[in-house]
Amino acid sequence: IIDYISTKNMTTDSAFRYLDSTIDLEECILYFAAQAYYDNMDWPGTNIKFWRDRASKGKWRWIIIDLDFGFGLYAHGAFEDHIQFMFSTVETRYSNPPWSTFFQRKIVQNPVIKNRFINRIADLLNSNFQTSRVVGIINSLANRIAPEITKHRTRWSIAGENTTKLTTFAQERPAYLRTHVRNYFGCGSDGKISVMSLTGGTVKLNSLTVRPVDSPFE
């Protein structure tokens, strides 16, 4: 695959068909979109795992692991431009040397994959990564382990409240990420789509399925 994308014109339909036949593109795009949201600064030069079924038509898929450097750990915040970081041709930190960004730089040269990547980020910010949902999950997990946290702090003489840093990241990240995508890909201004479906079927919007229970959806 690396040999192919190193030598072929990636903007063509044939390049898309080749990638689609060797890679699970939906999972691949989801993987890179998620890393962009998390701002995983210990990647892509490290912590890379991928696999495929050993069948004649087995497709490559990625495994997302080791996200402890994400969500603004170690003084980084929601403002970090991970889109520029993951597509950079110049190493800006130890974790994004050019060899590690080459694959994603090449595949987004294909207009179909580029548009799917952009839309998948938009879809995630309107669903899984909505601030209210992410903050709710953070709080539910924090509440579950709250009794252990008190003992942990006493045992190791630790002070401070780290969930605030997590929730702040979740609140601020969507606006920053939209700006990063817009700037890198020249997307122009945001658009708004309103969906109202009170009875009956569903509405397909990119990778999202809007059901009557989701209405009104914007």
Side-chain angles (χ1 to χ4, degrees), residues 64-76:
I64 195 164
I65 59 165
D66 203 349
L67 299 173
D68 58 319
F69 275 49
F71 260 70
L73 188 66
Y74 300 129
H76 305 304

Side-chain angles (χ1 to χ4, degrees), residues 56-103:
S56 60
K57 295 184 179 180
K59 293 186 177 184
W60 288 104
R61 294 173 172 89
W62 280 254
I63 301 171
I64 195 164
I65 59 165
D66 203 349
L67 299 173
D68 58 319
F69 275 49
F71 260 70
L73 188 66
Y74 300 129
H76 305 304
F79 60 87
E80 291 273 0
D81 188 344
H82 208 83
I83 297 295
Q84 181 65 44
F85 178 85
M86 67 192 288
F87 294 114
S88 178
T89 59
V90 178
E91 183 173 3
T92 56
R93 299 182 192 272
Y94 75 92
S95 52
N96 71 333
W99 68 261
S100 70
T101 65
F102 178 75
F103 174 81

Side-chain angles (χ1 to χ4, degrees), residues 33-48:
Q35 294 279 21
Y37 172 81
Y38 299 140
D39 189 33
N40 182 9
M41 302 305 293
D42 202 19
W43 170 92
T46 57
N47 296 315
I48 309 168

Side-chain angles (χ1 to χ4, degrees), residues 35-39 41 77-87 117-118 121 125 169 172-188 190:
Q35 294 279 21
Y37 172 81
Y38 299 140
D39 189 33
M41 302 305 293
F79 60 87
E80 291 273 0
D81 188 344
H82 208 83
I83 297 295
Q84 181 65 44
F85 178 85
M86 67 192 288
F87 294 114
F117 177 72
I118 293 168
I121 289 180
L125 292 176
F169 184 96
E172 297 178 353
R173 189 60 175 165
Y176 279 114
L177 183 53
R178 284 189 173 96
T179 298
H180 299 157
V181 173
R182 182 188 303 114
N183 290 345
Y184 188 85
F185 291 105
C187 297
D190 286 352

